[in-house]
């Protein structure tokens, strides 16, 4: 008369099969949907609202602010005399749609010393020594920034650091340079804001240079390289 | 005799002992629930962000909205062209930064930003920037996360930054040839660049 399940309950057993079905389905769901990726982090930046072209003329002469330029250009770029020569170099060595420029050179302002940055060595997928490579770039920038310190001036009044990277290079170069400048400020006493740990307080401004040309054309690459090569 | 009884005490009456199985399955389930993370569509796996040392964990704040602008880099895996832009989990669109098509792509991004700006709560610009019509420039409670692949061309990230702070139409066929930033109309100033610690893969 009584069913099987009644029998098992009578014998002091609980039918576990439906529960196991549910658990197996849950397990299958988690196994298929989870990804074991490392957690991404972020670097924050506040973009300026007061640096646009003002319609009103200034009533007095404004001194341009002092800046420390971190200049990043393609590796092997020779010093040339005209924009046209730079354009020819660009067309021959980078060209239209030829992909990623494999290496770059970083220098500080007018200082002739450079450090070579290679895509291959800074790729996370290929290189187990990535942390060391990044550390080398940081050390180079920190050493150079020490020479631009103005003794006695508070951190916020030190010269602004501007990252000027050739626009056709990879984003990683510009961000690593930006990161190095921030880490230098941390070493010099800047602190992360308690309310927003991504923000640095008691630090000078560190920013990316605005694009030299907005309505891009590959014909303007020569002009950009010409300017960057002469940036002090 | 006693030995076989010890190992199969429950099988004698036709029932398997499922308790060890359930223990194991529960442990595996717990492992996946705690260690694994359900893939988040806003974060396309084809993007490898650059390494940095001063990066910190992202902070979620209930008062702020977060939008993610994905920018694709190396196309070794093959499908999405370099410098393509994807808004949150949307389908990417091409923005090569080299031709007219690129400007259409940037315009599309600015259109989306305008929609977000219009629907967001706002606060007064701490710099006190005046707008042409009078009053203080209004900034939205929005964090824009630029999640660009390490191999993305720098020009695309530059252009996105310019698009964020101003509403200038980047197409060369409008507003004359000048693309200089003007007084911003619908700016986004709180920006985050996605990155990773160098030691993490």
């Amino acid at each position: 008369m009584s069913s099987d399940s009644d029998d098992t309950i009578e014998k002091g057993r609980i039918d576990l099969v439906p529960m196991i079905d549910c658990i197996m389905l849950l397990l299958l769901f988690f196994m298929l949907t989870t990804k074991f990726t490392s957690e991404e982090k972020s670097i924050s930046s506040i973009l300026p609202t007061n640096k646009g072209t003002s319609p009103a003329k200034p009533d007095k002469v404004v001194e341009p602010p002092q800046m420390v330029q971190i200049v990043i250009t393609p590796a092997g770029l020779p010093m040339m005399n005209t924009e046209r020569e730079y354009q020819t170099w660009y067309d021959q060595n980078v060209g239209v749609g030829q992909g990623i420029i494999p290496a770059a050179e970083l220098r500080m302002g007018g200082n002739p010393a450079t450090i070579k940055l290679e895509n291959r060595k800074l790729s996370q997928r290929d290189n187990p020594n990535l942390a060391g490579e990044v550390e080398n770039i940081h050390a180079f920038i920190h050493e150079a920034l020490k020479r631009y310190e103005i003794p006695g001036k508070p951190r916020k009044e030190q010269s602004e650091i501007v990252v000027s990277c050739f626009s056709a290079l990879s984003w990683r170069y510009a961000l690593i340079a930006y990161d190095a400048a921030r880490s230098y400020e941390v070493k010099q006493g800047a602190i992360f804001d308690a309310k927003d740990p991504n923000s640095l307080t008691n630090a000078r401004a560190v920013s990316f240079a605005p694009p030299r040309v907005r309505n891009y054309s590959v014909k303007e690459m020569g002009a950009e390289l010409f300017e960057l090569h002469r940036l002090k | 005799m006693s030995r076989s009884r010890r190992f199969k005490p429950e099988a004698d009456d036709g029932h398997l002992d499922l308790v060890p199985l359930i223990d194991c399955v529960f442990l595996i389930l717990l492992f996946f629930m705690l260690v694994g993370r359900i893939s988040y569509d806003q974060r396309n796996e084809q993007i490898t962000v650059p390494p940095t040392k001063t990066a910190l964990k992202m902070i979620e704040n209930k008062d702020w909205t977060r939008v993610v602008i994905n920018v694709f880099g190396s196309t070794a895996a093959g499908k999405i062209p370099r410098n393509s832009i994807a808004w949150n989990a949307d389908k990417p669109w091409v923005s090569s930064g080299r031709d007219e098509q690129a400007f259409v792509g940037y315009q599309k991004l600015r259109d989306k930003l305008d929609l977000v700006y219009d629907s967001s709560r706002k606060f007064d610009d701490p710099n006190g920037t005046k707008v042409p019509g009078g009053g203080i420039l209004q900034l939205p409670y929005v964090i824009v996360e630029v999640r660009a692949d390490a191999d993305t061309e720098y020009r695309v990230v530059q252009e996105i930054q310019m698009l964020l702070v101003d509403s200038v139409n980047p197409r060369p066929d409008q507003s004359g040839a000048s693309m200089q930033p003007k007084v911003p109309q619908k700016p986004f100033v709180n920006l985050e660049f996605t990155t990773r610690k160098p030691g993490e893969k």
Side-chain angles (χ1 to χ4, degrees):
Chain A
M1 284 288 278
S2 62
S3 67
D4 286 349
S5 59
D6 291 340
D7 286 342
T8 54
I9 291 166
E10 280 166 16
K11 287 177 190 172
R13 290 177 196 281
I14 299 167
D15 187 4
L16 296 172
V17 175
M19 188 184 78
I20 293 169
D21 287 350
C22 289
I23 291 170
M24 285 295 187
L25 283 173
L26 276 172
L27 185 61
L28 194 69
F29 169 76
F30 279 105
M31 286 174 74
L32 294 177
T33 56
T34 51
K35 306 282 180 204
F36 296 98
T37 52
S38 63
E39 189 179 32
E40 289 181 336
K41 298 189 168 55
S42 70
I43 285 184
S44 68
S45 172
I46 305 290
L47 296 172
T49 54
N50 53 359
K51 288 191 177 176
T53 309
S54 169
K57 286 182 181 173
D59 50 5
K60 59 180 179 182
V61 177
V62 179
E63 287 271 322
Q66 291 286 315
M67 288 180 187
V68 179
Q69 296 279 353
I70 301 178
V71 184
I72 310 170
T73 49
L77 179 68
M79 182 58 83
M80 290 175 275
N81 297 319
T82 63
E83 292 178 4
R84 184 183 288 271
E85 285 176 298
Y86 279 99
Q87 185 65 49
T88 307
W89 184 91
Y90 176 84
D91 292 340
Q92 288 172 350
N93 292 277
V94 182
V96 181
Q98 282 186 14
I100 299 163
I101 300 172
E105 281 173 347
L106 183 150
R107 68 177 164 85
M108 301 291 295
N111 194 329
T114 60
I115 183 170
K116 192 172 183 184
L117 317 175
E118 290 182 68
N119 259 353
R120 184 176 53 84
K121 288 185 177 175
L122 293 170
S123 162
Q124 282 184 305
R125 292 176 190 137
D126 304 332
N127 181 15
N129 302 319
L130 180 69
E133 294 291 338
V134 173
E135 187 59 50
N136 287 344
I137 299 165
H138 278 234
F140 178 86
I141 291 175
H142 290 191
E143 197 55 40
L145 282 174
K146 277 183 196 165
R147 291 196 286 273
Y148 290 96
E149 282 287 317
I150 305 168
K153 263 200 173 183
R155 294 309 311 155
K156 276 184 174 287
E157 292 174 25
Q158 296 282 335
S159 305
E160 180 182 353
I161 301 170
V162 179
V163 178
S164 292
C165 179
F166 179 52
S167 63
L169 285 169
S170 297
W171 160 235
R172 61 160 60 85
Y173 300 136
L175 190 63
I176 289 173
Y178 180 81
D179 177 48
R182 274 169 56 101
S183 74
Y184 178 78
E185 287 303 300
V186 172
K187 274 190 177 176
Q188 298 300 316
I191 47 171
F192 288 105
D193 189 338
K195 287 180 184 169
D196 178 8
N198 280 331
S199 296
L200 282 177
T201 55
N202 189 32
R204 68 171 118 183
V206 182
S207 62
F208 295 102
R212 280 168 169 68
V213 187
R214 284 204 68 187
N215 45 348
Y216 293 112
S217 160
V218 287
K219 292 173 188 167
E220 286 150 347
M221 294 289 122
E224 192 186 344
L225 284 172
F226 180 87
E227 270 187 53
L228 280 177
H229 231 183
R230 282 156 180 76
L231 209 56
K232 303 288 184 194
Chain B
M1 187 81 174
S2 61
R3 183 183 167 121
S4 61
R5 268 187 192 165
R6 187 149 52 95
F7 281 100
K8 299 192 290 180
E10 303 295 335
D12 291 346
D13 57 358
H15 285 276
L16 281 172
D17 183 6
L18 295 172
V19 176
L21 171 79
I22 294 166
D23 286 350
C24 289
V25 171
F26 262 118
L27 282 173
I28 298 168
L29 183 62
L30 197 67
F31 170 76
F32 277 103
M33 287 174 74
L34 295 179
V35 177
R37 289 187 298 149
I38 295 170
S39 72
Y40 190 28
D41 282 338
Q42 278 184 318
R43 302 185 179 279
N44 192 296
E45 287 167 40
Q46 289 188 38
I47 291 174
T48 304
V49 292
T52 57
K53 286 173 69 182
T54 60
L56 293 168
K57 194 175 175 181
M58 289 177 207
I59 296 182
E60 293 301 331
N61 188 330
K62 278 186 280 182
D63 295 333
W64 290 72
T65 308
R66 177 180 290 269
V67 294
V68 182
I69 300 173
N70 291 290
V71 191
F72 292 80
S74 173
T75 54
K79 291 179 183 160
I80 301 172
R82 190 183 183 206
N83 300 336
S84 295
I85 294 174
W87 175 265
N88 290 331
D90 290 1
K91 193 180 166 194
W93 62 84
V94 176
S95 177
S96 69
R98 288 170 186 238
D99 50 30
E100 178 61 21
Q101 189 184 29
F103 301 111
V104 175
Y106 290 133
Q107 185 61 46
K108 189 173 174 180
L109 178 60
R110 186 61 239 187
D111 291 346
K112 286 182 180 287
L113 289 167
D114 285 346
L115 287 174
V116 172
Y117 183 93
D118 292 339
S119 62
S120 301
R121 285 191 310 118
K122 298 169 193 77
F123 59 96
D124 288 348
D125 178 12
N127 293 323
T129 307
K130 299 270 193 315
V131 290
I136 305 284
L137 186 69
Q138 295 294 296
L139 303 176
Y141 281 98
V142 175
I143 294 170
V144 179
E145 184 186 332
V146 177
R147 189 168 173 272
D149 190 287
D151 286 323
T152 300
E153 268 186 296
Y154 177 52
R155 77 179 79 222
V156 180
V157 181
Q158 276 185 308
E159 190 59 52
I160 289 172
Q161 289 187 64
M162 297 308 290
L163 282 176
L164 290 174
V165 288
D166 63 43
S167 300
V168 175
N169 188 330
R171 277 185 288 199
D173 59 339
Q174 292 183 14
S175 311
S178 170
M179 306 310 291
Q180 292 302 309
K182 296 173 184 169
V183 176
Q185 302 296 308
K186 293 183 177 180
F188 293 79
V189 298
N190 292 80
L191 177 64
E192 286 188 4
F193 300 111
T194 319
T195 176
R196 286 183 187 174
K197 290 282 182 189
E200 293 175 357
K201 292 190 176 175

